[in-house]
Amino acid sequence: MRHALVCILALSACAVLAGATSLVAIGEWIADAPPDVLARPGVRYDRLTRRYTPPGEATVRRVLTGVDGDAFDDAVGRWLADRGAPAATTGKPRGLAVDGKSLRGAARAHGRKIHLLAALDHTTGLVRAQRGVEDKTNEISCFQPLPEGVTDLTGAVVTSDAMHTQREHAGHLLSRGAHYIAIVKANQRTLRKQLKKLPWDRVPLQGRTRGIGHGRGEIRRIKVCTVTGLLFPGARQAIQLKRRRAHRRTGKTTIKTVYAITDLTAEQATPAQLAELIRDHWRIEALHHIRDTTFAEDASQLRTGNAPRAMATWRNLAIGALRLAGATKIAPRLRHNARDATRPLALLGLI
């Protein structure tokens, strides 16, 4: 091979950090990169022409199409984890959100969307692991392999939507020394009936928060009680959340009651901490929103091999690297990087 693999990957990552949203854009960024930028990741220098000869778009495309998706995601997850802020020592539980996302513009020949399942750290907003959901399966089959990519799972509180409220998942997390908060809906009918029959009218209100966003105001109330005998491994507390939402434009008000369970005891997590963990789960939705709106992920029709997944991994890396650098808004920082080709190198620690 004319170009080292690490060189191709480093240049691709830099291009995405400068706002590239496609393989064509990556190729263009590499072609325009100045010699000092090409030298850093080890682009081959041609002594005859006295020029650096960077990889072209076709080479980048071949590499990302054939890359091992799991190994690639694991490497990026470890890189982000190594540079992430250390866990707080205040006794606050560390949350890990698990959720899936389809790449809507990318479909296989038979029309099935490419779907990815990821785990994101609540505190840092960094993606710690990601797995592809294979054809003829769903997210449930990928849940247990996903936490395997997080080496320091001990003590973490894994949050997920109702799809992953599965006894096997809970047992797996407990065996890894982790905790869970599981949302209970119709897919666990018997368990939901148990929770609804609890004497909630005799449980005092233990928390109330207010928030504004997306054109609506929301009031959240939480009640928590210690329970025994629930039909779920390790369950120690039941949670009732009531969300009252008022849409500011229409004036319409809706009230929704959500039930959840956790293996955390009252001594391990207060009602306020449980409410925060449940609320912070949706930070992974914010990540998906950035990938869609800032990186135009859903508009991409890239379909060949593992290239769509590799591009999603690069977006996770770019967002994570910018967050580690203190960025609160991603789009302006991408434009900032695009004005100086050395800036992505600095974010990756290459200069």
Side-chain angles (χ1 to χ4, degrees), residues 17-19 322 330-344 347:
L17 273 164
L322 289 171
I330 302 301
R333 291 299 296 270
L334 293 176
R335 295 193 295 269
H336 175 78
N337 291 342
R339 295 193 294 270
D340 185 341
T342 64
R343 289 169 180 165
L347 284 169

Side-chain angles (χ1 to χ4, degrees), residues 8 12 15-16 20-31 55-66 300-308 310-312 314-315:
I8 298 170
S12 300
V16 176
T21 60
S22 67
L23 294 181
V24 173
I26 290 176
E28 292 172 347
W29 187 91
I30 294 173
E57 178 201 336
T59 300
V60 173
R61 188 178 295 270
R62 283 196 302 273
V63 168
L64 295 186
T65 297
S300 173
Q301 296 187 1
L302 184 63
R303 303 178 181 185
T304 307
N306 282 331
M311 286 299 293
W314 278 147
R315 293 168 192 134

